[in-house]
Amino acid sequence: MDWKLILQLVGVALGLLYLYLEYKANIWLWVVGLIMPIVHGTLYFRSGLYADCSMQLYYILAGLYGLTVWSRGKRKGAAREPEIGHTPLVMWMQIMVFYVAIHATLYVLLTTFTDSTVPILDSFTTALCIIAYWMLSRKYVEQWLVWLVVDAVTVGLYLYKGIPLTAALYGLYTILAVVGYRRWLKMMPQRA
């Protein structure tokens, strides 16, 4: 069996499990999120998607952070687990500044140190992933909207790079980002 096919099949299975757990706002998403980057990192590196590959290290570190933040409320006497909520307005300007800085840095790194054939899109989706994953760790409902953009662009990128099963997974992610957004809106605590 072809290595791309094997990695894609395992990655799709893990990705579906991860998305289901995220949809449910289940803490186990972080555990799956620690395993999945190894599979995807290998696939992306061998496909020449270097920013996406390096992103997997971030996913591991962010997964550890998210697991820590979400599990705080599970220990007696610890701070409460964050509730699902909206991203504070004051934070959006900071998020935009960080996004631009990350995107520009990744683009320069890709064009300077790699043979990437898609540096603009690779750095675009990777920068947005960093932002979205941080937003997920804080349980900001708008993280789903950022994922929606990432997923839609990634479908075309992965088709172009010859990894169609992973592209199909991201096609499903695109649809489920809308569903997840709506579900999380319903799960938000009602403010009086």
Side-chain angles (χ1 to χ4, degrees):
M1 204 184 274
D2 179 18
W3 64 267
K4 273 189 179 182
L5 181 58
I6 293 168
L7 291 171
Q8 287 181 88
L9 290 172
V10 173
V12 165
L14 289 170
L16 291 173
L17 176 59
Y18 177 90
L19 188 59
Y20 172 77
L21 295 169
E22 182 179 4
Y23 175 78
K24 294 288 194 178
N26 185 305
I27 194 169
W28 285 98
L29 77 94
W30 298 109
V31 176
V32 174
L34 291 171
I35 299 165
M36 194 168 49
I38 297 166
V39 174
H40 284 146
T42 305
L43 175 64
Y44 300 151
F45 181 79
R46 296 193 66 182
S47 298
L49 293 163
Y50 303 115
D52 277 355
C53 176
S54 63
M55 181 70 191
Q56 303 314 301
L57 177 59
Y58 169 78
Y59 280 150
I60 291 169
L61 296 174
L64 291 170
Y65 173 76
L67 182 61
T68 301
V69 170
W70 282 34
S71 64
R72 279 186 188 156
K74 306 295 182 206
R75 293 185 304 239
K76 193 172 187 170
R80 289 178 10 136
E81 172 183 350
E83 290 182 344
I84 295 172
H86 288 292
T87 308
L89 269 175
V90 297
M91 209 166 249
W92 280 109
M93 183 56 72
Q94 295 170 343
I95 288 171
M96 291 304 296
V97 168
F98 280 114
Y99 162 75
V100 169
I102 295 165
H103 186 169
T105 301
L106 290 172
Y107 177 78
V108 168
L109 290 171
L110 287 173
T111 57
T112 304
F113 299 108
T114 75
D115 61 351
S116 176
T117 59
V118 287
I120 291 174
L121 289 178
D122 199 5
S123 57
F124 171 74
T125 57
T126 301
L128 281 181
C129 284
I130 291 169
I131 298 299
Y133 216 54
W134 175 81
M135 291 173 75
L136 170 61
S137 74
R138 307 309 307 164
K139 284 193 175 175
Y140 293 143
V141 71
E142 293 82 11
Q143 59 97 11
W144 286 104
L145 301 177
V146 178
W147 286 123
L148 177 65
V149 172
V150 169
D151 298 339
V153 171
T154 300
V155 169
L157 180 61
Y158 289 178
L159 285 172
Y160 174 75
K161 289 306 246 175
I163 47 178
L165 293 178
T166 306
L169 174 65
Y170 278 80
L172 180 61
Y173 280 179
T174 302
I175 295 164
L176 293 177
V178 175
V179 175
Y181 176 70
R182 293 179 69 180
R183 176 172 168 80
W184 274 37
L185 283 175
K186 290 178 185 174
M187 291 172 66
M188 284 177 53
Q190 301 301 315
R191 305 279 185 226

